Structure formats: structure tokens, C-alpha cells
Amino acid sequence: MKEIAVNVGILGTGNLAMTLGRAWAAAGHSIVVTGRNPGNVTRVANQIGGAAEAVGPADFPARVDLVVVAVAWEGMEEALSLVGGADGALSGVTVIDCTNAVDFVTGKLKPMSGSAAELVARVAQGAHVVKAFHLFAGASWPYAGPAESAPVVAMCGDQPEALERAEALAADLGARTAVVGGLASARQLEETAGFVMRVVAAGWNPRLAVPDVDPALLNAGSATVD
């Protein structure tokens, strides 16, 4: 699925925000960057290139077709409030949450219940929230290798149109996608990031800690069962 050119709003100025912005700009999208620090916003927009523009938080909602949240967990609620999320400024807008609400030492998810993505949905009233892209570091994008080896971006959300937009943006990064459920599934996705961190901390590639399962073979096997 290929997304038509849109104005991708990026809320955040870290490495993931910059890398995603560059990749989507190269795919033909316009990038609108905002954040708390105007200097950092301008720096990131300049590093993304000519397709990117730095704007103030108050002007951000009117300039974008969808929003990608790429901020630290601790600043997420404030960042969404800065762009008017709590006042309904993002109502009806696809908002893709890329945050990792994980303690990087223990791997534990910081919210005691629910998920970061569900908090995004509560703060950004009326937004169509999708959880995606949090399991891959910025250096992962864009992927340009063989299609059969492309990364699979697991995502979840409640609105089909928002999921379709997120899937199209993933395709622009060279990725495949797996929709694993509604937004209530976000906690499981977010906890996976902690699992990955713990396996890496133990000195192993997390790919080797997950069974290699071919769905096609499973489906073929089930078809033979009476």
C-alpha cells in the first residue's frame, strides 16, 4: 500500500523523529516538525531537508494531515497538550504513537496499567490513535534490502482508516505490516520493547529468542486436519 503525498506532522526532535522525517521526505511527503524547543525544531527541520518545515506548536494542527508522536514518555502528555490535543485540536486526525514507555534498565513498562498509546488517545481527544514503529530504532529506516526480508512493523488501533494510513507510511519506509488488534492490544506491543531490551542486555540477538514460525506452513497443516 503506497500513501499519496501528505503533510506528515512530527511531534518530537530526537533521532527517531529525524530519521523518520528524512525517510518520508524522500518518499515524497512534506514534513512539518514541532516540539517544545524552537531551536531543536529548526535544527531537525534543516537536517531533514527542503521538504521539512519548522512550526510552532499552536500552528501545528492546522498544517498537518496526520501526526507522528516521537517524544520521550516523560514529555508526551506535555507535548500533546502543547499542540492543543487536550482541547480537541487533533480530533479526527490519525496520530501514530512511536513512544517507548519502558524503563531502559529493567525493561518494565512504566504505566502501571493501560499503555502509552491509550494515554495518547485520552490526552489527544478524538484522535484516531495507532501504535506503531516503537520496536525499531531510527537507524532501521529506510529499509532497502530484499522484500522477503523486510522488517514487519506490528501495529494496533481501532479505526481502519488510521491503520491504513499507518500501513502506507510503513510501506514508504520499505516495511511490511502486521495489524495485531485494537488499541487495547497496545500494552502487549509496548511490553515487547522491554523484552527486546532485556534479551539484548543479556548479550543476545532478540531475533534468536523468538520461534521461527512460517504462517503458510501452519495454515497448510491445519487444512489437512479433519
Side-chain angles (χ1 to χ4, degrees):
M1 181 183 299
K2 184 76 172 178
E3 174 70 274
I4 61 172
V6 296
N7 296 321
V8 179
I10 297 184
L11 180 55
T13 57
N15 290 334
L16 181 59
M18 188 187 312
T19 304
L20 289 174
R22 281 176 171 169
W24 284 324
H29 300 295
S30 297
I31 310 299
V32 180
V33 184
T34 200
R36 292 176 296 175
N37 185 311
N40 288 340
V41 171
T42 299
R43 172 182 56 80
V44 169
N46 289 340
Q47 290 179 330
I48 291 173
E53 181 182 2
V55 303
D59 298 326
F60 182 74
R63 302 291 301 277
V64 303
D65 297 313
L66 57 88
V67 175
V68 176
V69 181
V71 299
W73 157 251
E74 288 75 13
M76 184 178 67
E77 192 167 354
E78 179 186 355
L80 287 167
S81 295
L82 276 175
V83 298
D87 300 319
L90 300 178
S91 181
V93 177
T94 296
V95 176
I96 302 172
D97 172 34
C98 305
T99 60
N100 266 320
V102 173
D103 185 307
F104 291 97
V105 176
T106 66
K108 291 182 178 180
L109 198 60
K110 291 183 177 180
M112 297 302 294
S113 62
S115 64
E118 288 171 305
L119 177 60
V120 171
R122 288 197 298 273
V123 176
Q125 295 186 21
H128 298 169
V129 179
V130 174
K131 185 74 185 189
F133 303 115
H134 68 296
L135 289 175
F136 291 93
S140 304
W141 310 118
Y143 173 79
E148 62 272 15
S149 301
V152 175
V153 174
M155 60 178 64
C156 63
D158 293 333
Q159 287 82 17
E161 183 179 349
L163 286 166
E164 288 175 6
R165 288 198 132 184
E167 288 179 295
L169 286 179
D172 286 335
L173 299 176
R176 298 172 288 177
T177 55
V179 177
V180 299
L183 202 63
S185 302
R187 184 175 181 89
Q188 185 178 51
L189 275 185
E190 293 173 3
E191 286 178 330
T192 303
F195 166 76
V196 168
M197 292 173 191
R198 295 297 293 270
V199 174
V200 171
W204 294 95
N205 184 335
R207 292 192 181 198
L208 303 177
V210 178
D212 185 359
V213 180
D214 186 342
L217 293 179
L218 286 179
N219 292 335
S222 64
T224 63
V225 177
D226 293 332

